């Protein structure tokens, strides 16, 4: 089996194949042959459905830089590395039927991505920036039973969310939750604090991070100017990758969000979902002012 796999990949490399089918191979690890030397620079579509993969390599984008479609349906993938955000040409990503509990924010920043399939996983929240790119038009998260909130960027996109929103005891989950009336959603793990309309003064750390981010983007255009000597590594990493951007004004947010819920069943999209779904759209705002003025339907 191993020799047959190596032969298949070697032929694809030599003949510069654009499509590679590695479905039903009982793979427990990503094939090293795919990552050898320069990788497969011409490959555009990789099919690895129904294997037993648990993770993806950090250098995936380096070795397969021209991937347009990546199919990983029905594996055991628990974690997707942040490096997936470097697959700048990726248009279709299928991670349905895996064991994902978290989707890294970098997936929400894939600018060419049009189709994203995350159905039948164990997700409880989605990255706040998911859907911010206008290219992303199709998102399927069906049967993530504890997923209750969809970023408001996904409003007016084609979404599948049947089988989501089952009740769960908040005490069982080590995540911040936000409630509005009878609705409760879990917030991304990166969120450290929740703001309300009465919280008009931002925490000092959040003010400092936004100020630094604005300064270096406006004047130096390069956050790489900062080093671990000038800032602790944890803050430096956060500065490079905000937890999300305000759904009202696009201001980066680092530690605190001001959430606002819009039950899907109360929007014009309710008819597409039989009007019964307990899922809500979540607007992640950066301040009390944006929270008050954000309107999903405007």
């Amino acid at each position: 089996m191993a020799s047959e796999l190596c032969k298949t990949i070697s032929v694809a490399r030599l003949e510069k194949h654009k499509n590679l089918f590695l479905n039903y191979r009982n793979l427990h690890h990503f094939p090293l042959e795919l990552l050898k030397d320069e990788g497969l620079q011409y490959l555009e579509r990789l099919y690895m459905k129904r294997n037993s993969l648990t993770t993806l390599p950090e250098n995936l984008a380096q070795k397969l830089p021209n991937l347009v479609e990546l199919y990983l349906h029905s594996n055991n993938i628990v974690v997707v590395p942040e490096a997936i955000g470097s697959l700048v040409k990726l248009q279709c990503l299928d991670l349905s039927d895996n064991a994902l509990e978290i989707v890294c924010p970098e997936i929400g920043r894939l600018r060419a991505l049009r189709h994203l399939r995350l159905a039948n996983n164990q997700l409880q929240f989605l990255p706040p920036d998911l859907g911010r790119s206008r290219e992303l038009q199709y998102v399927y998260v069906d049967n993530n039973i504890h997923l209750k909130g969809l970023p408001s960027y996904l409003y007016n996109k084609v979404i599948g969310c049947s089988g989501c929103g089952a009740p769960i005891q908040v005490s069982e989950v080590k995540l911040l939750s936000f409630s509005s009336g009878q609705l409760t959603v879990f917030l991304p793990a990166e969120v450290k604090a929740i703001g309300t309309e009465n919280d008009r003064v931002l925490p000092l750390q959040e003010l400092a991070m936004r100020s630094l981010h604005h300064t270096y983007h406006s004047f130096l255009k390069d956050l790489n100017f900062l080093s671990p000597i000038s800032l602790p590594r944890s803050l430096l990493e956060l500065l490079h990758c905000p937890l999300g951007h305000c759904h009202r004004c696009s201001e980066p947010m680092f530690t605190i969000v001001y959430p606002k819920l819009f039950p899907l069943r109360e929007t014009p999209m309710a008819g597409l979902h039989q009007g019964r779904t307990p899922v809500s759209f979540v607007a992640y705002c950066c301040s009390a002012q944006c929270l008050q003025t954000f309107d999903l339907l405007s």
Side-chain angles (χ1 to χ4, degrees), residues 271-296:
L272 300 175
H273 299 269
Q274 290 77 51
R276 296 191 300 270
T277 177
V279 171
S280 297
F281 289 104
V282 186
Y284 293 94
C285 299
C286 69
S287 64
Q289 180 179 0
C290 285
L291 178 66
Q292 291 174 334
T293 56
F294 182 90
D295 185 0
L296 184 70

Side-chain angles (χ1 to χ4, degrees), residues 147-160:
L147 179 65
K148 294 172 174 285
L150 305 176
S152 69
Y153 286 129
L154 296 180
Y155 184 69
N156 278 339
K157 298 181 186 287
V158 178
I159 56 174

